[in-house]
Amino acid sequence: MALVTGLEILGAAREHGYGVGAFNTNDMEITQAILETAEEERSPVLLALSEGAMKYGGKPLTDLVHAMASEASVPVAIHLDHGSSYASCLRAIRAGFSSVMIDMSHADEEVNIRETARVVEAAHAVGVTVEAEIGRLGGVEEHVVVSAEDAFLTRPDEAERFIEASGADYLAIAIGTSHGANKGKGRPFIDHQRIRDIAARVRQPLVMHGASGVPTTLVERLNAAGGSLADASGIHDDDVRQAVTEGIAKINTDTDLRLAFTTRVREVLRDKPAEFDPRKILGPARDEMREVVRQRIRLFGSGGRA
Ligand code: G3H
Ligand code: 13P
Ligand code: ZN
C-alpha cells in the first residue's frame, strides 16, 4: 500500500475517538516489529525517525524503512520526529517522509509560528502533513522539570492561536509527560483538564509525546539480567486511555521499545553464553518488541481500524 500522510491517519483517529501509535525506529528489527504487529492487529501506524536515527542509519535506513512501509497492508506514515529546523524537515520530505514534525517549542511564540508556517507551506505543496509543538516537556527538550504547576505546560488560548496562525495539521501539547524511562516519582501527573480545555478549542488531532508506560515487569527483567535502571516510571495505562477520550490522537512510544529490546538481548546473552549468531540475539529482541507494539495498539484502540 502506498504511504499515507499523518493527517489521513490521525484525522480519522480524532474524529472517531481512538489513538494511533507513532513508534520510533532505528533499524530493520524495530521496523519489522512495528509493521508486522500493526498488520496482525489491522492497525494504522506511524513509523517515527528522529534526526538521531537518520544520522545513525543514513540513507540506507530511510530507504529500508520506506521500502518496508510501502509493502505494508495497513496505512502507514513515515514521520520525522522532533525536526529541529526547516532544512531538516525538507531533507525528510526529500527522503520520502509523509509527515514531519517541526519542533520549535523552545523558541518564543512568534518564532515558533513563523518557522512552523514555513514548514507547513513547503510540506503542503508536496502533499506532506505537519506536526508542531507548543509548551515544553522534560527529557529530550531538557528545558524544564515538568510538574503540575509548571508554567511551561501548554496553555489552551495559546494552542488555539498557534494552530490558526501556523496552519499545522496536528499539535503536540505539554500536559505533564516527559521523554525517557524516568517520568517522575510514583504515578506521573497528567493534566487531563488541560487536554480537555485544549481539545475544546483545537479541532486538530492532539499529540502526546513521552507516553511510554515503562512497564515494571520489563524493568525488573532488565535489572535481573544485569541492567541497572533506577527510579524508572512511566505513564499509567489509564491515563493514556483517558487522554485518548479527551482528544489525544497520536501517541509516541520509543522508550518501551528500547527497554524491550535491551531486556531480551541481555537475557539471551546471559542465558546462552555460547551464542554468537546475531540473528539468535536480535530475533528474540524483535519478538519482545512485537509484544510492546501489540499491547500499545490495544491500549490506544487502533486495532481493527485498518
Ligand atoms: O523523543 C525522542 C525519541 O525518543 C528519539 O530519541 O533522538 O535518541 O533518537 P533519539
Ligand atoms: P517515550 O520516551 O516516552 O517513549 O517518548 C517518545 C517520544 O515522545 C518520541 O517523540
Ligand atoms: Zn517526543
Side-chain angles (χ1 to χ4, degrees):
M1 183 184 283
L3 288 185
V4 300
T5 65
L7 184 60
E8 211 168 303
I9 292 174
L10 299 172
R14 169 101 204 239
E15 187 186 341
H16 299 292
Y18 60 92
V20 179
F23 296 96
N24 286 76
T25 184
N26 295 278
D27 68 10
M28 182 189 76
E29 283 81 4
I30 305 173
T31 311
Q32 286 175 323
I34 299 165
L35 288 177
E36 290 169 10
T37 309
E39 288 184 307
E40 283 164 18
E41 297 291 315
R42 304 310 306 162
S43 171
V45 75
L46 289 94
L47 283 172
L49 289 110
S50 68
E51 290 175 352
M54 291 172 77
K55 191 167 169 211
Y56 173 76
K59 188 170 184 306
L61 176 62
T62 50
D63 285 352
L64 178 76
V65 169
H66 200 275
M68 290 168 70
S70 306
E71 296 275 295
S73 61
V74 292
V76 181
I78 302 182
H79 174 77
L80 174 67
D81 192 26
H82 293 284
S84 61
S85 66
Y86 178 76
S88 178
C89 292
L90 285 200
R91 274 194 292 276
I93 292 169
R94 189 157 191 209
F97 287 44
S98 56
S99 174
V100 293
M101 176 184 188
I102 174 73
D103 181 359
M104 283 283 158
S105 58
H106 53 283
D108 62 32
E109 187 181 348
E110 192 190 323
V111 173
N112 193 355
I113 288 174
R114 190 189 66 217
E115 291 306 298
T116 300
R118 281 178 80 203
V119 172
V120 167
E121 186 183 6
H124 284 184
V126 290
V128 170
T129 55
V130 178
E131 173 179 341
E133 175 171 330
I134 49 169
R136 295 178 192 171
L137 291 80
V140 159
E141 289 147 16
E142 308 253 353
H143 305 284
V144 289
V145 176
V146 172
S147 69
E149 299 76 32
D150 203 304
F152 288 101
L153 296 185
T154 306
R155 294 207 320 268
D157 58 335
E158 190 184 348
E160 183 176 20
R161 218 169 40 236
F162 177 86
I163 201 88
E164 275 170 20
S166 69
D169 300 295
Y170 20 107
L171 184 65
I173 55 175
I175 45 167
T177 63
S178 59
H179 293 105
N182 307 88
K183 298 191 193 292
K185 292 221 181 319
R187 178 171 167 173
F189 173 80
I190 302 302
D191 196 339
H192 288 286
Q193 185 60 49
R194 191 174 296 271
I195 304 175
R196 290 193 292 274
D197 290 346
I198 295 169
R201 290 165 173 252
V202 174
R203 63 182 162 73
Q204 284 82 352
L206 301 175
V207 181
M208 186 191 233
H209 283 249
S212 275
V214 191
T216 311
T217 47
L218 268 185
V219 174
E220 284 172 358
R221 280 173 52 198
L222 178 73
N223 288 342
S228 175
L229 194 58
D231 301 324
S233 65
I235 306 305
H236 199 284
D237 282 358
D238 289 344
D239 281 316
V240 172
R241 223 176 264 118
Q242 188 179 334
V244 167
T245 68
E246 293 165 338
I248 294 288
K250 173 174 179 280
I251 303 150
N252 290 10
T253 302
D254 187 358
T255 294
D256 286 354
L257 293 174
R258 294 177 176 193
L259 286 173
F261 178 93
T262 307
T263 296
R264 198 59 178 269
V265 167
R266 279 192 177 279
E267 288 177 344
V268 172
L269 295 177
R270 177 195 62 190
D271 298 340
K272 300 184 176 171
E275 187 57 71
F276 62 92
D277 178 344
R279 296 167 299 186
K280 304 270 172 56
I281 300 166
L282 298 178
R286 181 174 58 196
D287 291 342
E288 196 73 44
M289 292 188 288
R290 279 190 230 274
E291 289 320 303
V292 166
V293 175
R294 192 179 321 285
Q295 283 171 17
R296 305 291 290 166
I297 284 175
R298 291 180 183 180
L299 173 64
F300 304 157
S302 63
R305 306 280 183 170

